[in-house]
Amino acid sequence: DIQMTQSPSSLSASIGDRVTITCRTGQTIGNSLNWYHQRPGRAPKLLISVASNLQSGVPSRFSGSGSGTEFGLTVSNLQPEDFGTYYCQHSHSFGQGTKVEI
Amino acid sequence: EVQLVESGGGLVQPGGSLRLSCAASGFTFSSYWIHWVRHEPRKGLVWVARITNDEGNTAYADSVRGRFTISRDNAKNTVYLQMNSLGLEDTAAYYCARDGGFGTPFDLWGPGTQVIVSS
């Protein structure tokens, strides 16, 4: 399995802030990278597929970028419902998660 | 409603067994691969197993291979995860998720079922 490394592991931000999470992979994967959001006790939710494709119903303040081995997830104008943990994923591998505290 | 719903979790002693079920509704179940992913308290999301839609080809994480078995019944729109020789490290919330196969994302998840392995 491919090594997936997210940074930071956690962050604290305020409402209205812009935050960026990075995911680095151990080998090049093209744009085959997905992002999920999980709140405590809830199922993960797909936010972005193939690096930058925003899923239907996901607010436009979420955006994804990158290719190869380095990817980013940006949340602009952070809202209270955005707290939780964000995971990157490729095939059977997940990053270790980035916990966002408001 | 398009959904996946897991069941079968619970408290089990080390060395014991459980069978989880994942019931699908609202979509063409036989068109999708189904995965089991667990949320481990200190590791986050960890992929466990998957089964393809047609011939039912299976794959497992190294940590569960030989102990867990994934299967599906397309007539019942259900996927199962038979878990044997459970250890403390298997304690987690277990989710089933679907994808369209061949690297597509997990676009639908169930609410999860909790498995606690403890003496």
Side-chain angles (χ1 to χ4, degrees), chain B residues 47-78:
Chain B
W47 176 82
V48 173
R50 70 101 169 111
I51 187 164
T52 60
N53 60 317
D54 45 13
E55 296 181 354
N57 291 319
T58 59
Y60 299 91
D62 289 345
S63 59
V64 307
R65 188 176 296 114
R67 300 187 297 122
F68 290 13
T69 302
I70 188 172
S71 60
R72 69 188 293 158
D73 184 339
N74 285 342
K76 295 183 177 180
N77 287 356
T78 301

Side-chain angles (χ1 to χ4, degrees), chain A residues 9-47:
Chain A
S9 296
S10 64
L11 66 90
S12 182
S14 300
I15 302 303
D17 281 355
R18 173 187 173 104
V19 300
T20 297
I21 298 167
T22 298
C23 178
R24 292 185 173 86
T25 60
Q27 62 189 71
T28 186
I29 59 170
N31 66 351
S32 183
L33 190 286
N34 308 308
W35 290 97
Y36 301 84
H37 176 221
Q38 185 180 31
R39 296 189 189 126
R42 304 282 295 274
K45 175 186 175 183
L46 176 65
L47 298 175

Side-chain angles (χ1 to χ4, degrees), chain A residues 44-61:
Chain A
K45 175 186 175 183
L46 176 65
L47 298 175
I48 289 172
S49 63
V50 288
S52 61
N53 183 39
L54 194 68
Q55 295 303 289
S56 175
V58 176
S60 59
R61 64 180 180 272

Side-chain angles (χ1 to χ4, degrees), chain A residues 37-40 80-86 98-102:
Chain A
H37 176 221
Q38 185 180 31
R39 296 189 189 126
E81 60 267 30
D82 299 336
F83 82 93
T85 304
Y86 292 83
T98 295
K99 186 175 182 179
V100 175
E101 298 174 303
I102 307 296

